[in-house]
């Protein structure tokens, strides 16, 4: 039985693993068999993560985080969690291979997934002109022509932010009115760099090695047109990855895992959550990493509070013990 199992391998999961391993908790980190490393694995240049003045590639950053976690004794398993039992003092985590792992505490760091348009060219040009994060990638589009897809507050916020860099920002919306709040609409309407393209949906994203434009369909007339672009930002929402804990942990109205105050403590004793899965607002690598630190410290304090006979039951695996030697 483990002292702590960490589910998720993004910045929050690996940071939690670094802190937990340095506290001699011999964590087991379960990374996805397909999406190990989280959203940063689909990002090219990361220029806003502290400590890298020249920037760093997203996959390289995640590789270095993993290596740092493993250096201190984290064991990483590439598999997918299929079910959880978070009740009681001993938590059980079952993975796709059928193996069941037990632990006294669990850190849930599964992140969130940006909603995608599901059109041709979207996957191929991700990171090559197509982005889901203005604060991450807006800097690369100085004096460029870009578009934002969406009609909510996040889309208006992204578009307004992007006018700091771009020479022109289109907002593409499938309807003739916005669902964004009035104040966010007014900011966008009053910005001279922003132009709205109403009743339109993106049907294809064009370009070979970099984005060159999009194909649009008028949702009223069906007319098809093309729009030349240097960048496309998709802001149609994101979904926290919480399907594994439905019915076991409390959620917020936004659908994220509810935690107590600034802590990582969930509604279930011994279960902690970190990163985008608890954050409906910021969703940055650096805030996720800080959140992972909090979760590891909370788990360490929780484990220290357990009765001695229960704590002794969590023994290190041979591999983790050797790594600590």
């Amino acid at each position: 039985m483990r002292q702590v199992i960490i589910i998720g391998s993004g910045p929050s999961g690996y940071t939690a693993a670094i802190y937990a391993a340095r506290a001699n908790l011999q964590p087991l980190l379960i990374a996805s068999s397909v999406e190990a490393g989280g959203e940063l694995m689909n990002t090219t240049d990361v220029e806003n993560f502290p400590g890298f003045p020249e920037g760093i590639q997203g996959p390289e950053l995640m590789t270095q985080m993993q290596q740092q976690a493993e250096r201190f004794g984290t064991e990483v398993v590439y598999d997918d969690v299929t079910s959880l039992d978070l009740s009681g003092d001993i938590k059980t985590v079952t993975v796709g291979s059928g193996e069941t792992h037990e632990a006294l505490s669990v850190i849930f760091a599964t992140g969130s997934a940006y909603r995608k348009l599901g059109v041709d060219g979207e996957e191929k040009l991700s990171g090559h002109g197509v982005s889901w994060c203005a604060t991450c990638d807006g800097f690369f589009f100085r004096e460029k022509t870009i578009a934002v897809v969406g009609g909510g507050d996040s889309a208006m916020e992204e578009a307004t932010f992007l006018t700091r860099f771009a020479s022109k920002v289109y907002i593409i919306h499938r309807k003739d009115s916005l669902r964004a709040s009035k104040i966010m609409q007014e900011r966008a309407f009053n910005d001279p760099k922003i132009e709205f393209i109403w009743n339109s949906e993106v049907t294809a994203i064009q370009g070979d090695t970099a984005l060159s434009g999009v194909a649009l369909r008028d949702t009223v007339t069906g007319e098809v047109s093309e729009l030349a672009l240097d960048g496309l930002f998709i802001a149609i929402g994101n979904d926290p990855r919480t399907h594994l804990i439905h019915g076991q942990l409390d959620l917020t109205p936004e659908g994220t895992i509810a935690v107590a105050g600034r802590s990582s403590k969930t509604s279930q004793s011994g279960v902690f959550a970190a990163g985008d899965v608890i954050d409906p607002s910021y969703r940055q690598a650096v805030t996720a990493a800080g959140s992972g630190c909090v979760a590891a410290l909370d788990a360490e304090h929780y484990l220290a509070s357990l009765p001695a006979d229960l704590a002794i039951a969590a023994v290190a695996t041979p591999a983790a013990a050797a790594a600590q030697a």
Side-chain angles (χ1 to χ4, degrees):
M1 181 170 64
R2 303 279 180 161
Q3 295 183 79
V4 57
I5 291 175
I6 300 165
I7 303 173
S9 56
S12 58
Y14 278 131
T15 302
I18 291 167
Y19 273 80
R22 282 178 52 82
N24 202 33
L25 301 181
Q26 292 97 32
L28 172 67
L29 185 145
I30 301 176
S32 169
S33 64
V34 178
E35 298 178 328
E39 293 294 329
L40 281 183
M41 297 299 289
N42 300 317
T43 303
T44 51
D45 295 305
V46 178
E47 295 193 326
N48 55 5
F49 197 90
F52 299 95
E54 301 302 319
I56 185 171
Q57 296 288 298
E60 183 183 359
L61 176 60
M62 298 318 304
T63 297
Q64 292 192 23
M65 284 190 175
Q66 178 178 345
Q67 290 173 346
Q68 189 173 359
E70 290 178 324
R71 174 192 168 201
F72 295 114
T74 300
E75 181 182 353
V76 178
V77 171
Y78 294 99
D79 207 336
D80 300 298
V81 176
T82 57
S83 64
L84 298 167
D85 184 353
L86 302 176
S87 61
D89 292 328
I90 299 175
K91 325 298 180 185
T92 60
V93 180
T94 303
V95 296
S97 66
E99 188 175 1
T100 296
H101 302 276
E102 294 184 335
L104 295 178
S105 64
V106 169
I107 295 175
F108 207 74
T110 50
S112 64
Y114 291 110
R115 293 176 191 159
K116 297 182 178 182
L117 297 173
V119 300
D120 289 344
E122 185 174 24
E123 295 291 343
K124 182 179 76 170
L125 296 174
S126 173
H128 300 279
V130 178
S131 174
W132 286 263
C133 180
T135 54
C136 306
D137 299 328
F139 179 83
F140 300 112
F141 294 91
R142 288 187 177 277
E143 300 305 315
K144 302 291 186 179
T145 299
I146 60 179
V148 175
V149 180
D153 277 355
S154 60
M156 299 307 107
E157 185 176 1
E158 298 263 290
T160 303
F161 175 82
L162 288 165
T163 59
R164 302 181 188 182
F165 310 103
S167 58
K168 180 75 173 182
V169 178
Y170 293 100
I171 295 178
I172 302 169
H173 188 43
R174 58 182 294 111
K175 298 181 180 179
D176 61 0
S177 62
L178 301 171
R179 65 179 183 277
S181 61
K182 184 176 181 181
I183 188 170
M184 294 303 296
Q185 291 190 44
E186 289 177 349
R187 287 177 185 172
F189 288 143
N190 293 332
D191 195 308
K193 286 188 176 182
I194 293 177
E195 180 179 337
F196 285 82
I197 301 178
W198 301 106
N199 295 320
S200 296
E201 61 181 4
V202 175
T203 57
I205 298 174
Q206 302 163 332
D208 293 325
T209 58
L211 175 76
S212 61
V214 296
L216 299 175
R217 185 184 72 85
D218 190 300
T219 57
V220 177
T221 66
E223 182 181 353
V224 177
S225 62
E226 293 186 352
L227 179 68
L229 294 172
D230 301 299
L232 181 70
F233 289 79
I234 301 169
I236 56 176
N238 70 295
D239 299 304
R241 294 187 174 101
T242 59
H243 60 284
L244 288 168
I245 53 82
H246 287 176
Q248 298 195 65
L249 300 179
D250 290 347
L251 301 177
T252 68
E254 293 87 358
T256 55
I257 296 176
V259 294
R262 296 183 63 190
S263 79
S264 66
K265 300 173 184 177
T266 70
S267 56
Q268 178 64 54
S269 177
V271 180
F272 308 90
D276 287 6
V277 78
I278 68 169
D279 177 11
S281 303
Y282 302 106
R283 300 192 298 275
Q284 299 295 304
V286 68
T287 54
S291 180
C293 166
V294 169
L297 295 176
D298 284 344
E300 182 184 358
H301 295 155
Y302 168 78
L303 291 166
S305 71
L306 293 177
D309 58 339
L310 188 58
I312 287 175
V315 295
T317 65
Q324 290 292 323

